[in-house]
Amino acid sequence: MLKPTLESLSPNLIVDDVNKTVDYYTSILGFTLIASVPETGMYNWAMSMRDGVTLMFQSLPSIQEDLPALKINSKGSMGTFFIKMQGIDSLYQSIKDNADIVVDMRTTFYGMKEFVVRDLNGYFLAFAEEVK
């Protein structure tokens, strides 16, 4: 019997406006739009990627149609997304004037240099690089 192996995790974030969210992630954070439904016009769902990180965005009405058991009525973080990376100084310099940085660059007790961004939907993305 084949041993189960997890291959990836792609969060599907609930957002008010998928198009505006895709624009934010592509223009501010450097992601690329990979797929959307529909392919043009006002999206109900979209997938974006940067390097090895994939994020999906879906409107609340659309996800409730797909997953009726989901009983929520709002969006935003109930946790944070921790993104381990390389080249954090370069990323920070490229986005600092256009992103809502809620925790400025710091070095943590657990050996990471990191900063935290709040996106336009209220999600928190912690970008972190191991201190050598």
Side-chain angles (χ1 to χ4, degrees):
M1 180 185 291
L2 185 63
K3 180 183 177 202
T5 303
L6 303 180
E7 294 184 354
S8 68
L9 173 67
S10 302
N12 190 16
L13 308 180
I14 298 167
V15 302
D16 286 328
D17 187 315
V18 178
N19 292 64
K20 284 182 182 177
T21 302
V22 167
D23 183 54
Y24 175 87
Y25 276 80
T26 57
S27 66
I28 304 292
L29 299 179
F31 280 71
T32 300
L33 177 63
I34 302 300
S36 66
V37 175
E39 290 184 17
T40 61
M42 293 304 296
Y43 306 143
N44 293 319
W45 172 89
M47 177 185 287
S48 65
M49 179 181 276
R50 178 172 176 168
D51 307 317
V53 174
T54 302
L55 293 174
M56 299 181 291
F57 313 108
Q58 192 164 1
S59 68
L60 184 57
S62 173
I63 200 165
Q64 287 176 325
E65 183 178 322
D66 290 345
L67 185 58
L70 182 64
K71 303 290 185 199
I72 61 171
N73 58 11
S74 65
K75 57 156 180 59
S77 279
M78 295 183 76
T80 62
F81 296 94
F82 188 83
I83 302 168
K84 190 175 177 186
M85 61 170 299
Q86 294 180 17
I88 195 166
D89 291 317
S90 180
L91 176 65
Y92 179 83
Q93 289 302 317
S94 71
I95 70 172
K96 68 180 177 73
D97 295 330
N98 297 310
D100 180 13
I101 298 176
V102 295
V103 176
D104 210 0
M105 189 73 80
R106 66 182 180 186
T107 300
T108 67
F109 70 91
Y110 47 89
M112 301 297 277
K113 186 174 185 180
E114 66 183 31
F115 67 96
V116 180
V117 172
R118 178 176 35 218
D119 82 357
L120 72 165
N121 295 289
Y123 291 102
F124 293 91
L125 302 126
F127 295 95
E129 181 175 18
E130 190 172 349
V131 176
K132 305 245 185 311

